[in-house]
């Protein structure tokens, strides 16, 4: 943290985690004007970064102390004294310090090749609290609460939240966030978990419920890569992401999405390039518990109840359901005939002296890269990705880019939207560019999910003919304007976006494949006159250059929209 009398750079991902991604200074390029970067000493550590704000994205190195933070993010301007304005940052620093000591022991044990580590109940519970605080302090929640007046609060719980503000006398939504964070951090954790119940009387009830469910319905596991050449990546929003289905209702006119249901199957916490801490939902498979048929059936019913909340219950599943993990063993139970029983001398009472042995579960490549893909899938909302080695990052990119695109029940990777400025399509273009900068020859896999009704999805030529039958001028009867209308309608009926189609053109141009407008032009030229209406008939005599001009105008508009979104995000993030 850099400090002055007026302003501070506040990290939302602690430096002790970023330092585990630090790279040697010997590979550091010189800066402009021939000035060299400082040596990679304490306070000057460097990390590899990808800047997604540019197209193509830029591979760079950045100082740890200036990465994953915002200027004055936790500054409380309601306080008169400058020193008091930073009370929230100091409070976060305190829990970081205590959690870092525990995580250092965990990371060191893993680095030393040990099979696992034993933690006390207070240490285990501290990591659970730290995981929640990391998510709750993240930029996602900063944007939720960063309002100076209550009327500007616009999250889904607006009515309940404003009522809570009035009841408790809060002036700003930001004050509620600070108050919640402080009380969560300061509340002493008792072995029986009564602290979770007590918080309902002291913080916003909606978030107290979320914290309660987070702790009660999930268990902690540590995972690492079986292959030491594979690594986890770190994104700006890595501690604000969950793995699990999210369902939306979509306005097909505006493309606006409204969340209707979500399930947290896993909460991701990247500790280092080779170690991650996950919170796993209790309804998912667990070797010891699943030996009990009755308990296994109860868990399946719990899962089914969650699934029924979603648009497509059949696909409301976990991408990491088959992770080879198990709950930690504890000091007060033993296994008898395949079932847990109280150990000799144990009375079932939970104590601070209880111990928990956590195994470091080593994951095959598929699981490691799925975790990375979950992070990459949400990178359309951010500007910076941190990685350790280029080889490992390229492997992560190639896995994600090759992952089938689609949208099954709101829970699949690379679910390309229908808006012309769809952010995931724009992200995919950038990630392909990054992979190629790193030496990959990969092309994007961006086919839209097939139609889900009983009829098979029409062929591209049939879609073009359908549009020729029905298209009408949107703005004018000018052939150029009409060609642009036709090009947009074909893209939409194909379940693509302008961004996705542009990406296809970009990635296949090296193979000598025709561009999108060229393909449409060819179909139009071969079409029987019966397929044209009174408006589209003029397109039969339209030359290929005009089709290309129209398409390039649409792509330009898409790229400008992309740049505007990036600029807005950078402004929001204080970059």
């Amino acid at each position: 943290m850099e400090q002055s009398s007026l302003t501070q750079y506040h990290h939302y991902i602690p430096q002790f985690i970023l330092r585990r991604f630090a790279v040697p200074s010997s590979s550091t390029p010189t800066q402009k004007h021939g000035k060299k970067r400082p040596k990679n000493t304490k306070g000057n550590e460097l990390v590899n970064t990808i800047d997604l704000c540019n197209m193509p994205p830029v591979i760079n190195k950045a100082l740890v102390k200036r990465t994953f933070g915002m200027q004055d993010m936790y500054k409380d301007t309601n306080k008169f004294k400058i020193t008091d304005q930073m009370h929230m940052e100091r409070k976060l620093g305190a829990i970081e310090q205590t959690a870092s000591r525990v995580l250092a022991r965990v990371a060191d044990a893993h680095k030393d090749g040990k099979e696992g580590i034993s933690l006390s109940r207070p240490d285990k519970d501290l990591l659970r609290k730290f995981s929640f605080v990391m998510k709750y302090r993240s930029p996602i929640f900063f944007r939720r609460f960063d309002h100076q007046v209550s009327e500007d609060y616009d999250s889904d719980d607006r009515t309940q939240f404003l009522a809570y503000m009035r009841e408790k006398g809060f002036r700003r939504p930001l004050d509620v966030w600070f108050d919640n964070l402080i009380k969560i951090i300061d509340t002493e954790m008792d072995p029986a978990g009564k602290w979770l119940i007590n918080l309902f009387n002291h913080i916003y009830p909606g978030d107290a419920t979320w914290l309660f469910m987070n702790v009660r319905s999930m268990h902690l596991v540590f995972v690492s890569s079986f292959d030491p050449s594979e690594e986890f990546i770190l994104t700006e929003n890595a501690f604000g992401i969950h793995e699990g289905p999210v369902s939306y209702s979509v306005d097909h006119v505006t493309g606006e999405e409204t969340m209707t249901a979500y399930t947290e199957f896993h909460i991701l916490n990247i500790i280092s390039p080779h170690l991650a801490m996950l919170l796993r939902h209790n309804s998912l498979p667990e070797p010891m518990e699943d030996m009990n048929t009755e308990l296994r059936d109860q868990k399946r019913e719990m899962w089914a109840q969650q699934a029924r909340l979603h648009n497509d219950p059949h696909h409301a599943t976990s991408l990491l359901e088959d992770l080879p993990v198990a709950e930690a063993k504890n000091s007060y139970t033993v296994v008898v005939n395949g079932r847990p029983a109280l150990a000799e001398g144990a009375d079932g009472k939970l104590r601070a002296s209880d111990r928990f042995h956590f195994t470091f579960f080593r994951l095959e490549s598929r699981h490691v890269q799925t975790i990375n893909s979950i992070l990459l899938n949400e990178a359309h909302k951010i500007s910076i990705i941190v990685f350790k080695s280029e080889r490992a990052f390229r492997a992560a990119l190639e896995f994600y880019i090759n992952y089938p695109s689609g949208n099954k029940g709101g829970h699949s990777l690379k679910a390309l939207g229908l808006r012309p400025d769809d952010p995931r399509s724009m992200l995919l273009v950038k990630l392909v560019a990054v992979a190629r900068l790193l030496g990959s020859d990969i092309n994007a896999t961006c086919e839209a999910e097939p139609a889900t009704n009983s009829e098979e999805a029409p062929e591209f030529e049939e879609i073009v003919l359908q549009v020729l039958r029905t298209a009408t001028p949107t703005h004018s009867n000018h052939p150029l304007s009409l060609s642009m209308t036709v090009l947009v309608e074909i893209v939409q009926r194909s379940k693509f976006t302008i961004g996705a189609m542009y990406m296809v053109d970009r990635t296949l141009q090296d193979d000598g494949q025709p561009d999108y407008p060229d393909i449409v032009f060819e179909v139009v030229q071969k079409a029987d006159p019966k397929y044209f209406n009174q408006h589209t008939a003029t397109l039969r005599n339209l030359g290929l250059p005009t089709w290309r001009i129209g398409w390039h105008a649409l792509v330009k508009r898409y790229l400008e929209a992309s740049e505007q979104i990036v600029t807005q995000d950078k402004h929001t993030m204080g970059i």
Side-chain angles (χ1 to χ4, degrees):
M1 177 182 69
E2 292 183 339
Q3 181 171 350
S4 71
S5 59
L6 296 175
T7 185
Q8 292 181 3
Y9 186 81
H10 294 163
H11 285 84
Y12 44 83
I13 295 182
Q15 294 186 69
F16 78 84
I17 291 177
L18 280 167
R19 290 191 185 104
R20 298 188 184 279
F21 286 81
V23 293
S25 58
S26 58
S27 61
T28 305
T30 57
Q31 292 178 301
K32 294 181 179 179
H33 311 301
K35 296 181 180 180
K36 293 185 177 180
R37 290 190 183 274
K39 292 183 178 180
N40 202 11
T41 56
K42 185 66 177 290
N44 289 320
E45 300 95 337
L46 298 166
V47 288
N48 287 321
T49 65
I50 294 294
D51 184 353
L52 296 174
C53 293
N54 299 284
M55 185 61 198
V58 176
I59 301 175
N60 209 337
K61 285 185 171 62
L63 290 166
V64 164
K65 63 183 179 182
R66 300 297 297 181
T67 301
F68 291 163
M70 293 171 57
Q71 208 68 25
D72 295 329
M73 181 176 179
Y74 305 112
K75 185 176 183 178
D76 188 353
T77 55
N78 263 4
K79 304 295 183 182
F80 178 74
K81 291 183 179 180
I82 292 176
T83 53
D84 292 341
Q85 291 178 354
M86 299 301 175
H87 71 99
M88 188 69 254
E89 170 69 357
R90 290 193 295 273
K91 187 67 66 175
L92 291 167
I95 191 172
E96 284 179 20
Q97 188 175 42
T98 53
S100 69
R101 295 192 189 105
V102 179
L103 288 173
R105 286 169 33 220
V106 175
D108 288 346
H110 175 262
K111 187 176 180 180
D112 291 343
K114 295 181 179 179
E115 294 298 317
I117 189 170
S118 177
L119 298 178
S120 67
R121 182 180 292 278
D123 284 348
K124 172 187 71 73
D125 291 347
L126 171 64
L127 293 184
R128 297 294 304 269
K129 180 188 281 191
F130 177 71
S131 173
F132 185 87
V133 169
M134 283 297 296
K135 186 167 187 174
Y136 199 64
R137 70 182 287 188
S138 69
I140 296 173
F141 286 88
F142 175 72
R143 289 192 290 270
R144 170 188 168 189
F145 292 106
D146 186 27
H147 307 289
Q148 296 300 314
V149 293
S150 59
E151 289 75 15
D152 291 341
Y153 185 83
D154 58 358
S155 292
D156 294 340
D157 61 344
R158 188 174 191 274
T159 300
Q160 305 95 299
F161 185 83
L162 295 185
Y164 177 79
M165 286 188 66
R166 289 191 296 269
E167 177 188 348
K168 300 297 183 181
F170 288 109
R171 185 175 65 86
R172 306 177 303 171
L174 200 61
D175 297 327
V176 179
W177 188 45
F178 289 156
D179 186 68
N180 288 350
L181 274 169
I182 290 170
K183 288 174 178 173
I184 291 171
I185 293 171
D186 284 350
T187 299
E188 186 174 348
M189 297 176 290
D190 62 295
K194 294 179 181 178
W195 68 281
L196 291 166
I197 305 297
N198 294 336
L199 276 174
F200 277 89
N201 298 320
H202 300 289
I203 68 172
Y204 173 55
D207 291 343
T209 301
W210 177 37
L211 172 59
F212 179 86
M213 295 301 296
N214 177 284
V215 174
R216 294 293 195 187
S217 65
M218 309 187 88
H219 58 273
L220 185 69
V221 297
F222 291 102
V223 297
S224 64
S225 57
F226 182 82
D227 182 350
S229 69
E230 293 191 315
E231 298 171 353
F232 297 114
I233 63 171
L234 192 61
T235 61
E236 284 182 9
N237 54 353
F239 287 86
I241 294 174
H242 78 274
E243 183 276 318
V246 181
S247 292
Y248 296 92
S249 62
V250 181
D251 186 319
H252 293 288
V253 176
T254 65
E256 182 179 356
E257 296 179 331
T258 302
M259 187 178 69
T260 56
Y262 80 99
T263 300
E264 293 180 325
F265 280 129
H266 293 89
I267 295 175
L268 313 181
N269 299 266
I270 305 301
I271 305 305
S272 78
H274 297 287
L275 185 65
M277 180 175 72
L278 307 181
L279 294 178
R280 181 171 168 90
H281 200 276
N282 293 336
S283 66
L284 294 174
E286 203 285 331
M288 181 60 64
E289 290 183 348
D290 292 349
M291 294 178 68
N292 184 327
T293 305
E294 182 179 352
L295 180 57
R296 185 180 62 211
D297 290 344
Q298 290 176 358
K299 290 169 58 177
R300 288 176 177 173
E301 177 57 29
M302 185 193 312
W303 189 335
Q305 289 175 1
Q306 290 281 341
R308 284 193 284 269
L309 300 174
H310 291 274
N311 297 341
D312 184 357
H314 179 68
H315 289 115
T317 57
S318 170
L319 298 174
L320 299 172
E321 174 189 351
D322 63 342
L323 274 185
V325 297
E327 288 193 40
K329 298 178 181 178
N330 59 61
S331 59
Y332 51 90
T333 61
V334 293
V335 178
V336 178
N337 297 325
R339 295 193 176 190
L342 287 176
E344 185 178 354
D347 57 8
K349 184 177 180 180
L350 306 180
R351 293 178 169 83
S353 58
D354 295 333
R355 305 290 299 183
F356 297 83
H357 181 78
F358 291 89
T359 299
F360 297 135
F361 294 100
R362 304 190 185 279
L363 306 182
E364 59 181 284
S365 177
R366 171 174 60 93
H367 288 132
V368 172
Q369 300 304 354
T370 298
I371 291 173
N372 282 332
S373 292
I374 292 166
L375 297 175
L376 289 172
N377 200 54
E378 298 303 315
H380 62 279
K381 303 174 181 178
I382 65 171
S383 59
I384 299 294
I385 299 174
V386 165
F387 63 96
K388 180 76 171 183
S389 70
E390 291 188 356
R391 178 184 174 186
F393 185 47
R394 184 178 67 205
L397 290 171
E398 290 176 340
F399 183 91
Y400 177 71
I401 294 167
N402 279 326
Y403 199 93
S405 58
N407 191 352
K408 297 179 178 180
H411 189 38
S412 58
L413 303 179
K414 292 171 57 186
L416 305 181
L418 298 177
R419 297 193 342 241
D421 59 347
D422 177 59
R424 282 198 171 91
S425 297
M426 294 155 58
L427 169 69
L428 200 52
V429 173
K430 293 180 178 182
L431 295 183
V432 171
V434 173
R436 290 188 168 185
L437 286 174
L438 295 173
S440 176
D441 59 357
I442 194 167
N443 289 322
T445 301
C446 59
E447 295 83 1
E449 182 75 3
T452 56
N453 57 25
S454 58
E455 299 179 1
E456 293 186 0
E459 297 291 336
F460 181 79
E461 182 174 342
E462 183 181 342
I463 293 174
V464 175
L465 297 178
Q466 290 174 357
V467 172
L468 292 175
R469 288 193 194 101
T470 59
T472 57
T474 304
H475 300 292
S476 73
N477 289 317
H478 192 282
L480 176 60
S481 176
L482 182 57
S483 71
M484 294 171 68
T485 298
V486 168
L487 289 168
V488 170
E489 288 193 17
I490 293 171
V491 165
Q492 292 177 336
R493 292 196 188 195
S494 301
K495 303 301 183 184
F496 267 59
T497 66
I498 291 177
M501 195 66 77
Y502 167 64
M503 176 184 62
V504 172
D505 283 350
R506 285 283 302 271
T507 54
L508 297 182
Q509 61 186 3
D510 293 339
D511 300 331
Q513 299 294 324
D515 288 346
Y516 169 60
D518 297 48
I519 299 173
V520 174
F521 170 77
E522 184 178 346
V523 175
V524 171
Q525 292 300 303
K526 294 180 179 179
D528 190 285
K530 67 180 182 180
Y531 291 110
F532 296 87
N533 63 31
Q534 59 179 330
H535 303 290
T536 59
T538 60
L539 298 178
R540 298 177 64 193
N541 301 317
L542 197 64
L544 178 58
T546 305
W547 285 97
R548 288 175 173 173
I549 291 171
W551 177 242
H552 292 159
L554 291 168
V555 169
K556 180 182 178 183
R557 189 182 306 168
Y558 154 75
L559 292 175
E560 289 173 346
S562 172
E563 180 63 28
Q564 183 179 9
I565 290 172
V566 168
T567 302
Q568 290 173 347
D569 286 347
K570 289 175 70 176
H571 175 73
T572 302
M573 296 290 289
I575 300 173

